Amino acid sequence: MPSTCTRLRRRRELRPILGVLRLVASLAVPHAASAQARPSVSLEPPVAGPELNPYACQGRAEALEADRSIGQIRAELEKRLEPPYLATDAPSVRALKLCTLAELKKRIGDDDAIDFYARAIRENPQEPGYEFFAGRYYAGARGAKGPVVELAEKHLYRALDKLQRLRDAGRFRDFHRIIEDHTQKQLLVLYQKDGLPLLPWKAYRQEASGSLAPGLSIASVNKISTDTRYDVGVNDMGGFTAETQLYERGPEPAGKREFFIVARNPLRYSTENTLNFRQRFVGELQIGVELEKGKAAAFDDFGQIGQQTPRLHDVDVRQLSVGFDRTLPLYPLFDLRLRAHYVRVHRVGLVEYQPSYAQDFPVYLVRPALSRFVGSDKLTISGTYALMSIPDLDGAARGALPAGDYLLKRGRLIAGFEVEYAFYSALLLPALQLASLRPFRTPTRGLYLSAGYVTDNELYGNRRVINDTIHGGVRIEGPGKWDVSLHESWFRGRGRDITGQGEVAAEDLSASSLRSSFTLVRHLAHPDQTPGVPPSFGPVASDSVSVAFPASWDKAVKGPSNYENFRVGAQLWFKLFGTGVGGTTALTTLSYEYQYFYRFGKHVHNFGAAVRIGWGDL
């Protein structure tokens, strides 16, 4: 992946509040506290040759990449591979040339880029800059839906170790301050999803002693909204249509009044808190608890929707989870990310006609992803499998269900996949130079094409509803401070009645619709502007500020069109690093979207706010 892309995704010791945790962890890994005192690299004698700024390798590579196609960059690379350096070159010069080759290989997606970083490190083992470049490679270019954390941190902590040794030996140069600053920023980004550090070793400002020590942190995601969609991408049009169809199973058809009542945006709020344990040889282990409440979010009885004041009840969901997350670098084949969770769910208010009925069941969730370079581009394939082992309703629920309509059997399975192809080649875009327009190869932050499929198979007694979603889109990030995305989603609902002779189609539960989405993002402050740690204001440093302008249109393709609508709005995103509190990262979003159901003339104002102290997978 190009270096321009890697910039996107890139101690003061935290005084532990929980001293007991620090003591226990110190006993568990006694070597960590003394790691700094144990030499890992000798600085005597100095490497032969001139003392060179390692950033020259990045500058040389970028000069060779400018206004060139990938084929031309490869041709330049091949010229420099035979030989990669002269026999008379001093080791410091060899290291610089090898690092330049590694940067070029990263740019064109060669599998052996890391081998050239490693060779540069061997030629000049005292220079921390080459460790930083290797760590940045794993933190930005490699990985599937996330960095190869364990290998990235190995090189980044080695860079910190070598920086300290140069400082102790009196050989710390001005350019080493830049390397140190950029290494600290890369570690901030690497751990930004983890939340508030509870142990000091992997907290900002990181030191070499944190290399093998464990990290323990807590992430907290808190949301509040009044929205017709309870989550991003939810098909509210399909949900409202299904509720109306349940009403219409009575003696009267639904009219504009019923449509108006069903199209609602209840108040919802939630908090999700996760304890994250991280260690290089283990990966990441997670223990989480989530509480979610929807105020007056569901109808007591769908047959009462047409009444003057239909009764609504709250929906409460509580979840306990344990999970594991690690990326395995299986090159030259691919990088493989493994994410698996076991979730225990307790929920009340989601059984139709039974507002107080409680359900307890396990959910098994697996989300693998793999990626590899295709030339300079990157292919990523990810999947989701969620089995919700919902128990059958017990006898207490039987009396409240409409006679003959429902049995007590329940269950749900969600499965899907997504394919993303990222073009990292510089695009031919017009640029005004010397009063003339000419195509210029402009490095973007990526042109992304994606497509996917999700099926949601849910059983309601003697009725099965299968909701399929096929989606695809294109997104371009940059050049400059603008991102643009277009996305199409086709929703199809299929109903089936379960009879003694098998399953037959239920036309009253079948419909399809299309959602067209467009989002324009303007970055007011972008991480690219500050490759190092941003300036701090008190205990925090601002990393990015962006404004997004989303728009969408839901259009019926088959079946009822009553809930067709369009939405337009604005969102503000800003991210802060808590440089005074261990590097804790906070991401805040504020949103307003206006929605209009034009078939029956209802205006809806949707608001949302979220504060994330760490955030796992958004």
Side-chain angles (χ1 to χ4, degrees):
M1 186 186 301
S3 59
T4 52
C5 295
T6 65
R7 297 183 190 134
L8 277 177
R9 304 184 222 156
R10 332 301 150 257
R11 137 181 76 126
R12 180 180 311 163
E13 182 175 294
L14 179 68
R15 295 178 176 87
I17 300 173
L18 304 178
V20 174
L21 287 174
R22 182 172 63 178
L23 176 61
V24 171
S26 299
L27 294 173
V29 284
H31 63 279
S34 60
Q36 201 171 0
R38 187 176 65 249
S40 63
V41 59
S42 173
L43 294 183
E44 297 295 339
V47 170
E51 191 170 15
L52 300 174
N53 185 341
Y55 270 100
C57 88
Q58 177 177 306
R60 291 182 179 185
E62 289 178 348
L64 291 169
E65 295 163 7
D67 202 14
R68 283 186 169 91
S69 68
I70 294 301
Q72 291 169 333
I73 296 173
R74 182 173 291 281
E76 291 291 336
L77 172 63
E78 290 174 353
K79 291 178 187 177
R80 287 160 174 77
L81 282 173
E82 297 297 337
Y85 49 76
L86 300 177
T88 56
D89 285 342
S92 64
V93 177
R94 296 178 186 175
L96 185 65
K97 290 183 176 181
L98 288 165
C99 178
T100 302
L101 295 173
E103 289 285 289
L104 291 172
K105 282 180 168 289
K106 178 181 71 173
R107 179 68 181 87
I108 65 177
D110 278 4
D111 298 341
D112 60 346
I114 189 59
D115 297 334
F116 281 77
Y117 287 119
R119 290 175 63 182
I121 293 169
R122 287 197 297 271
E123 290 291 342
N124 193 351
Q126 300 166 15
E127 175 51 59
Y130 302 127
E131 296 282 5
F132 164 71
F133 289 130
R136 188 177 65 175
Y137 171 70
Y138 280 117
R142 292 281 297 275
K145 293 290 185 178
V148 186
V149 174
E150 291 75 23
L151 291 181
E153 64 180 2
K154 179 182 75 172
H155 288 286
L156 295 172
Y157 281 106
R158 283 180 179 176
L160 292 178
D161 181 57
K162 294 180 181 182
L163 284 163
Q164 184 58 50
R165 293 176 185 281
L166 288 173
R167 184 181 279 111
D168 294 343
R171 292 165 51 194
F172 193 87
R173 305 293 180 247
D174 286 343
F175 59 78
H176 288 136
R177 300 185 189 280
I178 300 175
I179 293 169
E180 186 173 44
D181 184 44
H182 290 192
T183 302
Q184 293 289 348
K185 171 66 176 294
Q186 197 71 72
L187 285 167
L188 278 174
V189 174
L190 198 67
Y191 299 143
Q192 64 182 351
K193 294 183 178 182
D194 291 358
L196 172 68
L198 301 178
L199 297 176
W201 299 301
K202 283 184 165 54
Y204 179 82
R205 293 178 50 97
Q206 284 84 2
E207 296 179 1
S209 58
S211 177
L212 294 178
L216 188 68
S217 58
I218 185 166
S220 181
V221 178
N222 303 279
K223 303 178 186 177
I224 186 170
S225 69
T226 57
D227 203 316
T228 57
R229 303 172 185 172
Y230 65 84
D231 206 351
V232 177
V234 168
N235 181 15
D236 50 338
M237 179 180 175
F240 293 154
T241 299
E243 290 180 324
T244 304
Q245 288 171 332
L246 287 170
Y247 166 77
E248 290 182 327
R249 298 178 75 186
E252 297 181 6
K256 288 188 175 181
R257 182 177 179 279
E258 286 75 27
F259 302 147
F260 200 94
I261 291 172
V262 169
R264 63 204 186 279
N265 58 340
L267 172 66
R268 298 182 179 93
Y269 49 89
S270 66
T271 179
E272 180 181 0
N273 300 280
T274 306
L275 188 67
N276 300 293
F277 173 87
R278 181 185 295 284
Q279 206 278 334
R280 187 193 302 173
F281 299 130
V282 176
E284 184 177 5
L285 303 175
Q286 305 155 348
I287 300 175
V289 56
E290 181 177 1
L291 308 175
E292 181 180 347
K293 190 176 189 71
K295 298 291 291 183
F299 290 106
D300 285 10
D301 188 333
F302 295 105
Q304 299 175 353
I305 290 176
Q307 294 182 1
Q308 188 66 32
T309 54
R311 294 192 304 272
L312 293 158
H313 61 265
D314 296 349
V315 173
D316 289 283
V317 180
R318 304 174 190 177
Q319 298 185 164
L320 294 173
S321 64
V322 293
F324 172 77
D325 187 351
R326 180 164 185 145
T327 299
L328 303 176
L330 302 180
Y331 260 60
L333 298 176
F334 45 72
D335 290 324
L336 173 64
R337 185 177 182 185
L338 297 175
R339 288 171 291 176
H341 285 80
Y342 169 83
V343 185
R344 190 72 191 180
V345 178
H346 171 83
R347 67 186 190 185
V348 179
L350 284 172
V351 175
E352 60 282 3
Y353 307 104
Q354 278 282 52
S356 60
Y357 191 87
Q359 294 175 293
D360 293 274
F361 56 90
V363 177
Y364 306 93
L365 177 62
V366 180
R367 292 177 295 163
L370 59 87
S371 70
R372 66 161 290 112
F373 285 108
V374 181
S376 64
D377 305 327
K378 192 173 187 180
L379 174 67
T380 303
I381 302 174
S382 56
T384 297
Y385 179 89
L387 175 63
M388 304 174 69
S389 231
I390 306 174
D392 298 349
L393 305 187
D394 60 28
R398 187 187 300 272
L401 301 178
D405 281 353
Y406 286 85
L407 300 177
L408 304 180
K409 193 170 183 59
R410 302 287 155 133
R412 191 173 187 182
L413 172 65
I414 302 173
F417 70 90
E418 182 181 59
V419 179
E420 180 184 80
Y421 193 88
F423 291 91
Y424 292 121
S425 308
L427 303 180
L428 277 173
L429 299 175
L432 186 61
Q433 293 184 343
L434 302 177
S436 65
L437 283 172
R438 76 173 183 89
F440 184 83
R441 294 194 183 276
T442 305
T444 69
R445 287 173 279 113
L447 172 64
Y448 301 85
L449 303 180
S450 62
Y453 168 76
V454 179
T455 183
D456 183 349
N457 188 325
E458 189 162 11
L459 181 65
Y460 298 92
N462 63 349
R463 307 206 99 186
R464 185 187 303 279
V465 177
I466 303 172
N467 293 309
D468 298 320
T469 303
I470 298 175
H471 62 90
V474 57
R475 181 178 86 256
I476 182 169
E477 296 185 353
K481 297 182 177 181
W482 293 95
D483 298 344
V484 180
S485 65
L486 294 168
H487 198 266
E488 292 288 334
S489 298
W490 179 60
F491 304 100
R492 179 182 65 170
R494 295 175 290 151
R496 303 187 69 81
D497 286 322
I498 302 174
T499 69
Q501 288 72 41
E503 298 187 12
V504 297
E507 292 301 324
D508 63 322
L509 293 180
S510 298
S512 61
S513 63
L514 185 68
R515 173 174 295 166
S516 303
S517 303
F518 170 81
T519 304
L520 182 66
V521 179
R522 174 70 162 93
H523 299 287
L524 305 178
H526 199 279
D528 276 356
Q529 298 173 333
T530 310
V533 179
S536 295
F537 301 92
V540 299
S542 175
D543 184 54
S544 63
V545 181
S546 302
V547 180
F549 303 96
S552 65
W553 178 36
D554 285 351
K555 172 69 176 174
V557 176
K558 176 187 175 183
S561 60
N562 307 305
Y563 294 100
E564 290 183 345
N565 69 88
F566 65 83
R567 287 170 62 127
V568 293
Q571 301 175 355
L572 175 64
W573 314 335
F574 56 94
K575 186 174 75 172
L576 302 173
F577 288 127
T579 51
V581 282
T584 304
T585 306
L587 176 64
T588 300
T589 58
L590 304 171
S591 67
Y592 165 77
E593 292 187 46
Y594 166 76
Q595 186 173 17
Y596 183 54
F597 292 89
Y598 49 81
R599 294 291 183 185
F600 49 92
K602 183 168 186 175
H603 308 266
V604 180
H605 302 281
N606 299 300
F607 296 89
V611 178
R612 300 172 172 90
I613 307 300
W615 53 84
D617 291 317
L618 284 175

